[in-house]
Amino acid sequence: MSSYILDSEIKFLPGVGPKRALLLEKELGVRTFRDLLYTFPFRYVDRSRFYAISEIDSASTYIQLRGTIKSISLAGSGKATRLIAVFSDGTGYIELVFFKGIKWMQDKLQVGQEYVVFGKPSVFNEHYNFVHPEIEPVAKVAASGNPAMTGVYSSTEKLQSGGISGKVFTTMQQKLAQLVAGQIEETLPEYFLQRKKLIPLGRALHDIHFPPDTYALEQARRRLKYEELFYLQLALVKQKFIKMREGTGVMLPRIGAAFNYSYSHLPFPLTGAQKRVLKEIRADVTSGRQMNRLLQGDVGSGKTMVAIFSALQAIDNGYQACIMAPTEVLAQQHYNGIFKYISTDLVKVALLTGSTKTRERREIYAGLADGSINLVIGTHALIEEKVQFANLGLAVIDEQHRFGVDQRSRLWSKSEIAPHILVMTATPIPRTLAMTLYGDLDVSVIDELPPGRKPIITTHVGENQRKKVYDFMRKEIDAGRQVFVVYPLIKESEKMDYENLEQGYLAITEEFKAPDYITAVVHGKQTPENKAFDMNLFVTGKADILVATSVIEVGVDVPNASVMVIESAERFGLAQLHQLRGRVGRGAEKSYCILMTGYKLSKESRDRIDMMCATNDGFELAEADLKMRGPGDFEGTRQSGLALDLHIADLAKDSPMLEDARNAAIDILDDDPSLSKAKNALLAKNLQNIRTEVTDYSKIS
Ligand code: ADP
Ligand code: MG
């Protein structure tokens, strides 16, 4: 049993007891001294200095002023009667306004006397004033010896009614601080604190609750954030190092007939970014170690070419390859598209999905087991137990975030040496998040679109302009283009969403009458056959309009489509909107994305829509999304299993510190990979407490 003071149960803190302990656990999850100590104030009241009236600006929070009252008067009448005291500190004037307790204030306040005023300035008639500030004569404030800065903790109704008011909570923190003073064990080595100029943990944990001034608070926050980010990165980098040492990979040194055939028959030159990524992959697969690489590239950046040439490398060296897509539609599309690029004499390709017929399925199983099939494209049907490969050398996982962790981890034990893994995603992930989410993977980025792409023109249109939108659609269709109309599908209101889609479909077919116009419809309630049929109508150009739920979000490639209409656009997230928009703009024609919304938009929705209209850059949008919503909501983060609910650090705001912490972790592990040197004993010990359940892609084959 540990007798470390921070592990003590909270009920043993003087003044808490079993009843309050229960309440603290229920409301705040606080069970131990440590839990309480790590419950930090969410803001501070700064009485560490006096502000000048001339300093006040719109960003001012609670501040204190020191000055004299110049005049006192009454204004308004009836309920609007208010007492106004004009207050000055020599740098300017400000009005103190009281609506209540007027009589009492009239008696208390005296013109010409010096006061300390404390409150939050607000704006009225273009002037700053204080409404109901705290106000005390200077002499009285000086005598009370109040602390300079006071933390304010978040509370709940139940805490309040259960007798744990803000004041009581602060008192608990005070008692705890006294009790643990001098007993908090340091968690970072001395040399590291010095190198990074970090204050000791004990002091940081004291000052974050009771900072003597803003500088001390800043130091405390920096120390605690740094520690949090550093240990997370230390854990991730360590895993990566272990993998690099242990993960033997199949060697794919040969560039042979299959690769050369495709390379010389390319309909277009590869972009610089595609070539660079292929080089990075080539370095991996000839290193003798297993590749675990994440390829990020915006929609339409040409990731498929990278997948194909990676697969061809495996095949030229006598190994098999597979490409796994998240949906049947996408798998089918990859399969249909690949014959443009490869020689079927040199590469035998198969398609394996949930709807592959039994007989064909058996043949494919046999072909994979005896090695006669070189490349298989499919859905999760590829990871079923019956699928056995003769010698799988490389696996590509496309649009990875659609695979749940379960499906991924059930993947292969299907060959003796784990195959090389290339995970591709079109959901751009901000650098800082990628560093954490995929901290154990190597990351490649395609940051260049194929030449000739015109930016997609994005506009925001209100419900009342639907007629105009229809006119525009007609113009484009008459010019030979195709149009997507997408409806949101959100689990909670699935039924209503289908109704919306149904009504939308009716309205469209009413407006765009057959046989002049053909409209296809695709949604999750159709049978796979119907879905495939309608999808095919659109892909082959027989249908002019595709009405769909967001199932078309990922990967569908119809170069002739030039307009993407998104209904109820306010209900989609930024990443999703960007994905949808990426379905157009793939051909040579000018393309358009029309975001339809209702009248009333929340500020957040409006910001999202404005961002979409302002930029086509997926990475820029991803950064903005991270800032707006935080990492918890980020697509892919929830499935990652990684504890991203950082306590004090913020992946969006603290990215320079995160990068510094990652580099520090790399430096330390470069010098001492197993953390066995005496000076790193503390790191080794504390690392055991860090929970990082990073998906192990080497087990995914
Ligand atoms: P994504 O990265 O979204 O998967 P795709 O691989 O589907 O993108 O490529 C999008 C489109 O760009 C396809 O029609 C593809 O043929 C085309 N393409 C890919 N690479 C190039 C290139 N280097 N030059 C011109 N067009 C390209
Ligand atoms: Mg793709």
Side-chain angles (χ1 to χ4, degrees):
M1 278 310 285
S2 159
S3 59
Y4 184 31
I5 187 158
L6 293 192
D7 293 326
S8 315
E9 285 176 57
I10 197 66
K11 67 178 176 207
F12 298 123
L13 184 69
V16 175
K19 218 173 121 216
R20 282 180 170 174
L22 217 66
L23 194 59
L24 285 170
E25 170 156 17
K26 240 173 130 183
E27 291 299 296
L28 301 174
V30 168
R31 280 187 47 245
T32 62
F33 283 15
R34 177 184 290 100
D35 296 336
L36 186 63
L37 198 56
Y38 276 85
T39 304
F40 303 144
F42 73 96
R43 70 177 174 84
Y44 298 84
V45 168
D46 182 6
R47 304 195 87 151
S48 64
R49 75 175 181 103
F50 293 106
Y51 282 73
I53 290 176
S54 59
E55 276 182 276
I56 294 176
D57 61 29
S58 57
S60 299
T61 60
Y62 286 83
I63 54 172
Q64 63 178 357
L65 306 171
R66 178 185 175 146
T68 49
I69 290 185
K70 297 295 177 190
S71 67
I72 298 174
S73 60
L74 282 175
S77 61
K79 274 203 167 154
T81 308
R82 56 204 183 269
L83 180 81
I84 296 176
V86 176
F87 181 83
S88 171
D89 64 356
T91 72
Y93 291 86
I94 197 163
E95 288 184 350
L96 314 178
V97 184
F98 300 89
F99 294 92
K100 287 183 193 150
I102 292 179
K103 179 95 195 27
W104 192 73
M105 276 295 163
Q106 267 175 322
D107 291 345
K108 181 176 163 179
L109 300 181
Q110 281 166 31
V111 173
Q113 187 162 332
E114 209 178 4
Y115 290 94
V116 170
V117 167
F118 178 79
K120 188 173 184 304
S122 51
V123 182
F124 182 72
N125 274 346
E126 291 171 38
H127 290 287
Y128 288 106
N129 64 18
F130 281 78
V131 178
H132 286 275
E134 286 176 34
I135 179 162
E136 292 288 350
V138 166
K140 208 173 152 193
V141 174
S144 80
N146 269 338
M149 287 181 82
T150 328
V152 182
Y153 300 88
S154 29
S155 185
T156 68
E157 229 164 273
K158 287 214 176 103
L159 280 178
Q160 300 275 356
S161 64
I164 306 183
S165 64
K167 216 171 193 159
V168 171
F169 199 81
T170 302
T171 309
M172 284 181 190
Q173 291 285 10
Q174 269 162 344
K175 288 223 178 86
L176 181 61
Q178 280 163 15
L179 215 62
V180 302
Q183 296 191 63
I184 292 174
E185 292 169 10
E186 182 52 60
T187 49
L188 290 169
E190 184 58 36
Y191 81 89
F192 192 74
L193 293 181
Q194 284 186 11
R195 186 188 297 169
K196 293 291 163 192
K197 298 195 169 50
L198 297 169
I199 62 169
L201 180 62
R203 206 170 101 212
L205 285 173
H206 175 272
D207 287 358
I208 191 108
H209 293 284
F210 306 104
D213 51 48
T214 47
Y215 178 75
L217 175 61
E218 218 22 72
Q219 294 302 305
R221 290 177 62 85
R222 195 173 92 81
R223 148 78 207 216
L224 294 166
K225 280 183 183 184
Y226 200 98
E227 164 159 8
E228 190 172 34
L229 295 171
F230 171 74
Y231 270 108
L232 184 60
Q233 290 302 326
L234 192 67
L236 289 166
V237 174
K238 192 154 183 276
Q239 283 189 25
K240 181 171 169 172
F241 275 31
I242 290 171
K243 233 184 236 174
M244 271 165 55
R245 254 181 327 182
E246 293 176 354
T248 347
V250 294
M251 287 289 276
L252 307 175
R254 229 168 85 88
I255 298 283
F259 190 103
N260 284 331
Y261 173 91
S262 296
Y263 203 83
S264 57
H265 286 80
L266 268 174
F268 39 65
L270 294 181
T271 63
Q274 283 170 323
K275 283 187 196 159
R276 190 189 66 237
V277 172
L278 279 171
K279 271 197 196 121
E280 286 166 358
I281 290 169
R282 179 151 177 76
D284 285 353
V285 299
T286 53
S287 71
R289 289 190 302 263
Q290 188 212 10
M291 172 175 79
N292 280 282
R293 189 167 283 280
L294 175 74
L295 172 58
Q296 290 198 55
D298 215 339
V299 277
S301 60
K303 293 184 293 296
T304 313
M305 284 336 292
V306 174
I308 292 173
F309 280 107
S310 305
L312 292 174
Q313 268 181 89
I315 293 163
D316 273 339
N317 285 274
Y319 287 92
Q320 293 164 299
C322 75
I323 299 176
M324 190 156 67
T327 64
E328 289 223 23
V329 172
L330 287 173
Q332 182 81 50
Q333 185 181 284
H334 272 310
Y335 181 74
N336 295 342
I338 205 159
F339 298 102
K340 272 189 289 191
Y341 303 111
I342 62 165
S343 152
T344 45
D345 292 339
L346 298 168
V347 182
K348 180 139 193 281
V349 194
L351 174 69
L352 182 65
T353 71
S355 55
T356 306
K357 298 278 183 303
T358 314
R359 229 192 89 208
E360 207 186 336
R361 179 180 294 260
R362 279 207 203 103
E363 279 169 23
I364 294 174
Y365 288 162
L368 289 173
D370 68 17
S372 57
I373 293 174
N374 308 111
L375 173 61
V376 62
I377 296 171
T379 55
H380 358 283
L382 287 176
I383 61 179
E384 278 166 21
E385 229 164 88
K386 285 190 187 135
V387 179
Q388 293 295 332
F389 288 88
N391 56 357
L392 184 66
L394 186 136
V396 179
I397 303 174
D398 195 12
E399 311 294 359
Q400 138 284 334
H401 62 269
R402 283 301 178 89
F403 286 105
V405 170
D406 282 357
Q407 287 158 341
R408 283 190 260 161
S409 57
R410 243 196 309 131
L411 286 170
W412 31 102
S413 48
K414 294 182 188 295
S415 46
E416 234 163 84
I417 302 182
H420 298 295
I421 307 289
L422 179 66
V423 178
M424 307 202 295
T425 176
T427 309
I429 301 162
R431 239 181 92 69
T432 51
L433 199 54
M435 248 191 271
T436 304
L437 264 180
Y438 305 106
D440 61 333
L441 294 187
D442 295 305
V443 179
S444 292
V445 179
I446 302 189
D447 50 6
E448 178 188 358
L449 293 180
R453 290 280 165 77
K454 300 193 182 85
I456 300 156
I457 298 159
T458 306
T459 47
H460 174 200
V461 172
E463 193 55 46
N464 53 341
Q465 296 186 32
R466 186 168 288 282
K467 183 85 187 53
K468 270 197 192 152
V469 173
Y470 284 158
D471 289 345
F472 182 71
M473 284 167 60
R474 185 170 291 111
K475 211 181 96 210
E476 286 287 307
I477 294 169
D478 291 348
R481 309 280 105 73
Q482 290 166 281
V483 177
F484 289 104
V485 181
V486 176
Y487 284 83
L489 181 56
I490 317 250
K491 273 261 152 22
E492 296 89 66
S493 54
E494 210 168 300
K495 192 161 165 284
M496 246 178 64
D497 285 340
Y498 277 117
E499 276 170 24
N500 287 344
L501 176 115
E502 208 110 290
Q503 279 165 16
Y505 176 67
L506 284 178
I508 295 256
T509 45
E510 188 62 31
E511 183 76 25
F512 295 90
K513 285 207 165 70
D516 294 346
Y517 299 95
I518 305 293
T519 303
V521 61
V522 169
H523 58 75
K525 293 237 155 123
Q526 288 167 309
T527 62
E529 291 79 35
N530 281 344
K531 198 163 154 187
F533 180 82
D534 272 54
M535 196 66 218
N536 205 42
L537 276 184
F538 192 69
V539 171
T540 54
K542 292 188 186 97
D544 307 294
I545 303 172
L546 179 69
V547 176
T549 53
S550 37
V551 291
I552 57 146
E553 180 187 332
V554 183
V556 173
D557 193 16
V558 183
N560 190 48
S562 65
V563 183
M564 167 64 63
V565 179
I566 304 177
E567 297 279 351
S568 304
E570 72 273 18
R571 294 180 56 198
F572 290 94
L574 260 184
Q576 237 184 337
L577 287 173
H578 182 64
Q579 284 288 324
L580 286 170
R581 176 168 63 183
R583 296 305 110 218
V584 296
R586 309 194 138 215
E589 298 308 320
K590 240 189 191 167
S591 301
Y592 304 87
C593 175
I594 299 172
L595 305 172
M596 306 270 304
T597 69
Y599 305 111
K600 280 196 196 131
L601 289 183
S602 68
K603 173 159 179 346
E604 215 199 314
S605 308
R606 178 163 288 283
D607 286 348
R608 271 204 304 271
I609 304 272
D610 288 350
M611 275 298 295
M612 281 295 293
C613 295
T615 181
N616 270 288
D617 183 329
F619 280 93
E620 210 175 293
L621 288 169
E623 292 284 352
D625 210 16
L626 180 60
K627 288 210 172 86
M628 274 191 240
R629 293 191 305 161
D633 283 338
F634 233 77
E635 213 157 344
T637 56
R638 238 164 320 188
Q639 297 103 304
S640 75
L642 182 66
L644 277 184
D645 44 349
L646 295 176
H647 201 79
I648 180 166
D650 180 328
L651 289 180
K653 294 187 186 119
D654 299 319
S655 55
M657 194 187 278
L658 176 67
E659 220 151 313
D660 191 88
R662 182 169 178 88
N663 289 334
I666 291 172
D667 284 348
I668 288 174
L669 288 168
D670 265 338
D671 165 62
D672 183 11
S674 55
L675 299 178
S676 52
K677 291 189 180 173
K679 64 173 182 176
N680 291 325
L682 213 45
L683 297 178
K685 178 173 161 238
N686 285 301
L687 196 58
Q688 294 171 354
N689 303 330
I690 308 292
R691 201 172 59 85
T692 49
E693 294 161 5
V694 178
T695 316
D696 186 351
Y697 288 93
S698 63
K699 303 275 156 54
I700 301 175
S701 69

